Amino acid sequence: MKSLRTSLLALAFFAGVSSLFALPEIRDCESEYYDITGESGSELLQELKTKNGVKGGFFAVTNYNYKNKYFLSANGRQDEYSGLGEKKGIFWGASAGWEISQEPFWTSAHLDHVFSSFKIRGSYGKVGNIGGIGDYTPYSTYGSGLYGGASTLAFSSVGNPNLRWETSKKTDIGFQFGILNERISGEVAYYKNDIDNLILYVSQAPSTGLPSNPPQNVGTMYNKGLEVSLNARVINTKSFQWTSNFNITFNKNEVTSLAPGLNVIQTGTSGSETVNQTAPGYALGYLWVIRTAGVDPSTGKRIFVNSEGKNVYYQFYAPAGTYNYSFTPDGKTPYTNATKGGSAITQANDAVMYANVIPKQYGGWDNNFRFMNFDLGVMLTYQLGYYVYYGTNAGLHDQRWWNNATDVLTDAWQQEGDTGKKYAKPVFNDNVSNGSAMPLDINVFKGDFLKLRSLTLGYTVPQSIINKAKISSLRVYVSGQNLAVLTKYPGPDPEVSS
């Protein structure tokens, strides 16, 4: 790895204005070094375009600060990345701030008795993203192998020569404040992030014969919401200090369009289930599952809800004169989908956009305590308002030989009249009723949680002791990560889909 930079800097100071210009910036991942003496930025950029993993660009920044009261900033840059088909991107931004607490009317109104600072700010800009993109993304590649002892070449990955920068237009408006000489401070901000040319690796049908999913600019989406943060020096004495930081974000995510030819994007899990679907009007990766209406108390059959909202009764083994899928509990009225055809419940015909997987609220609460030479740090994080598909739960209740769940002994239907049961009548080899064969809503759970993210207890050895050993400072500590989680999600961790 190496990083090459050649910069031309110009600084100007006048009437509180400071400006910084820098160009160009070249970053390259090759192991060899380049002699850039006498080369212009554009010549160097052109030379490195053919090298692996090159990021290069030109940028300029200017800032204005008048009496620490009025603030302006603007920047612009042109970036190029060799890992894109269309390598060039032009990005820019501007921001403004007003420290109202410096105005005479603020003091005249005696607001300075409450607020030690109060600043209004806003910004707007366009930025680029290439996260997760490799050096050879534009190119389809081949790999070597052996077949019958003979050397071979095989199609190994699919490239996209038209791949462009993913871009975001970001709006941010808010205010910052300090109270009691900054003993309490905080920030409230509204944000909106409009994302264009969203980059995703799009799943392909097996019939295409492609060895990998190609990256594509698939559409547009936005994130918008409100961010609130509060900081406080709760206790600040000579022997004991307590500082606390709390933040919460209210977020809404929505995909607004997909590229021409893409109606939806389906995403598979590691277990080859397709449980997420991205479509305009919904959040990214929305859960796409089949609805159920419980278990029939008279027969113990799983009740599915089809695309028309009608109940369909299912039995794994169908005795003579009955059907696997039926409109009636006795199994004698065969099921057919009047609008989409077919005599069975399927994900393609009957799954619905069911639940959001992106938290609507998230944040953390960080507390630091110090007593004499002891210190304690406690960080809590949380996420609220989202759902998780617990695929392992379906496997645990599969009625083939790998069933490991014991709650089927208490929560499954056993006899006529059993009501409110979660699982259908246990039938050997039944991999449909509890969701192993296709994703069902009974395996979707709220992911809300409060987690003890980190806990650290430390002790700083007094100088009077360590000076004898000629040690400048010594702190002994023990720490732990992800020590506890409070949630109703039955899986191991609601932050990790399983």
Side-chain angles (χ1 to χ4, degrees):
M1 293 287 293
K2 72 184 178 69
S3 178
L4 292 178
R5 293 189 182 186
T6 176
S7 300
L8 172 65
L9 303 179
L11 292 173
F13 296 93
F14 54 93
V17 181
S18 65
S19 299
L20 167 64
F21 298 92
L23 72 158
E25 177 184 63
I26 307 295
R27 295 181 181 177
D28 177 54
C29 298
E30 289 279 70
S31 58
E32 65 176 302
Y33 287 81
Y34 299 92
D35 180 6
I36 61 174
T37 306
E39 289 188 286
S40 69
S42 58
E43 291 171 341
L44 178 59
L45 189 59
Q46 186 63 36
E47 177 184 340
L48 293 179
K49 276 184 178 179
T50 58
K51 302 297 181 181
N52 298 340
V54 177
K55 299 183 181 75
F58 302 86
F59 62 91
V61 180
T62 183
N63 297 294
Y64 178 91
N65 175 358
Y66 184 71
K67 295 184 177 180
N68 290 322
K69 187 188 303 185
Y70 308 111
F71 306 88
L72 294 173
S73 179
N75 65 82
R77 62 186 298 147
Q78 175 185 307
D79 289 325
E80 295 191 26
Y81 178 46
S82 62
L84 294 172
E86 299 182 16
K87 298 175 173 54
K88 184 183 297 184
I90 298 176
F91 311 108
W92 48 268
S95 64
W98 179 23
E99 184 61 63
I100 304 179
S101 62
Q102 298 294 320
E103 297 290 353
F105 70 80
W106 191 266
T107 304
S108 301
H110 304 294
L111 293 174
D112 56 328
H113 295 172
V114 179
F115 293 95
S116 48
S117 64
F118 198 99
K119 181 180 181 180
I120 297 176
R121 60 172 180 77
S123 65
Y124 183 76
K126 179 183 178 182
V127 299
N129 177 40
I130 51 174
I133 300 301
D135 295 339
Y136 301 100
T137 305
Y139 309 106
S140 296
T141 60
Y142 290 79
S144 61
L146 292 175
Y147 182 78
S151 299
T152 63
L153 284 177
F155 194 14
S156 61
S157 67
V158 183
N160 181 0
N162 299 315
L163 193 66
R164 304 187 299 276
W165 284 86
E166 179 179 300
T167 60
S168 300
K169 292 182 179 179
K170 297 186 175 184
T171 302
D172 187 274
I173 301 173
F175 63 89
Q176 304 165 216
F177 64 89
I179 300 174
L180 302 177
N181 198 27
E182 303 299 308
R183 182 166 183 173
I184 300 174
S185 61
E187 184 174 354
V188 179
Y190 165 83
Y191 67 89
K192 186 174 183 184
N193 184 8
D194 289 302
I195 302 172
D196 195 8
N197 293 325
L198 180 68
I199 297 177
L200 286 178
Y201 285 85
V202 180
S203 299
Q204 304 295 306
S207 59
T208 62
L210 297 177
S212 66
N213 298 324
Q216 298 183 31
N217 298 104
V218 297
T220 62
M221 75 174 185
Y222 69 78
N223 287 290
K224 67 177 181 180
L226 189 70
E227 295 177 319
V228 180
S229 64
L230 294 172
N231 312 297
R233 299 195 301 273
V234 183
I235 299 176
N236 189 24
T237 65
K238 184 177 181 180
S239 59
F240 181 67
Q241 299 88 41
W242 172 19
T243 60
S244 184
N245 311 94
F246 175 81
N247 66 81
I248 184 170
T249 297
F250 302 87
N251 184 66
K252 180 182 179 181
N253 171 270
E254 184 176 317
V255 176
T256 52
S257 69
L258 293 177
L262 281 176
N263 296 321
V264 297
I265 298 173
Q266 296 173 352
T267 308
T269 67
S270 58
S272 299
E273 295 172 298
T274 301
V275 297
N276 302 94
Q277 185 166 265
T278 297
Y282 295 92
L284 189 70
Y286 220 75
L287 287 177
W288 182 57
V289 300
I290 296 168
R291 296 168 295 172
T292 62
V295 175
D296 178 52
S298 63
T299 63
K301 295 178 181 179
R302 170 65 66 196
I303 305 174
F304 295 109
V305 179
N306 75 350
S307 59
E308 300 170 312
K310 297 179 180 179
N311 288 350
V312 180
Y313 299 82
Y314 173 78
Q315 58 182 347
F316 187 74
Y317 294 113
T322 65
Y323 301 87
N324 296 104
Y325 295 90
S326 172
F327 278 123
T328 55
D330 59 12
K332 295 182 179 180
T333 305
Y335 164 70
T336 55
N337 191 309
T339 57
K340 298 184 178 180
S343 58
I345 295 292
T346 65
Q347 187 179 20
N349 280 349
D350 302 294
V352 298
M353 300 294 272
Y354 186 75
N356 180 26
V357 300
I358 297 179
K360 294 181 180 179
Q361 300 93 33
Y362 58 89
W365 187 21
D366 188 21
N367 290 274
N368 291 281
F369 306 89
R370 177 175 288 277
F371 177 70
M372 306 296 286
N373 284 31
F374 292 93
D375 61 89
L376 175 66
V378 182
M379 176 181 285
L380 302 172
T381 60
Y382 60 90
Q383 294 182 5
L384 306 171
Y386 76 110
Y387 291 81
V388 180
Y389 178 77
Y390 185 21
T392 301
N393 193 59
L396 291 173
H397 294 87
D398 190 312
Q399 294 305 301
R400 292 173 287 185
W401 59 271
W402 56 72
N403 167 27
N404 281 322
T406 58
D407 59 351
V408 293
L409 302 175
T410 55
D411 292 340
W413 186 94
Q414 297 181 18
Q415 61 187 359
E416 185 175 354
D418 280 353
T419 58
K421 293 298 182 179
K422 187 174 182 180
Y423 301 107
K425 175 183 177 181
V427 175
F428 182 64
N429 277 337
D430 184 358
N431 65 333
V432 176
S433 296
N434 296 330
S436 188
M438 51 191 178
L440 304 182
D441 61 358
I442 61 171
N443 296 313
V444 175
F445 299 89
K446 284 187 70 68
D448 298 4
F449 71 86
L450 175 66
K451 180 178 287 189
L452 179 55
R453 178 71 64 182
S454 66
L455 180 67
T456 302
L457 177 64
Y459 177 75
T460 303
V461 181
Q463 289 293 134
S464 59
I465 296 177
I466 63 175
N467 282 343
K468 299 176 182 179
K470 297 183 178 180
I471 299 175
S472 59
S473 64
L474 178 62
R475 177 175 175 265
V476 182
Y477 68 92
V478 59
S479 66
Q481 307 292 324
N482 299 321
L483 297 176
V485 59
L486 181 63
T487 181
K488 292 183 177 180
Y489 176 67
D493 190 339
E495 284 190 291
V496 181
S497 179
S498 56

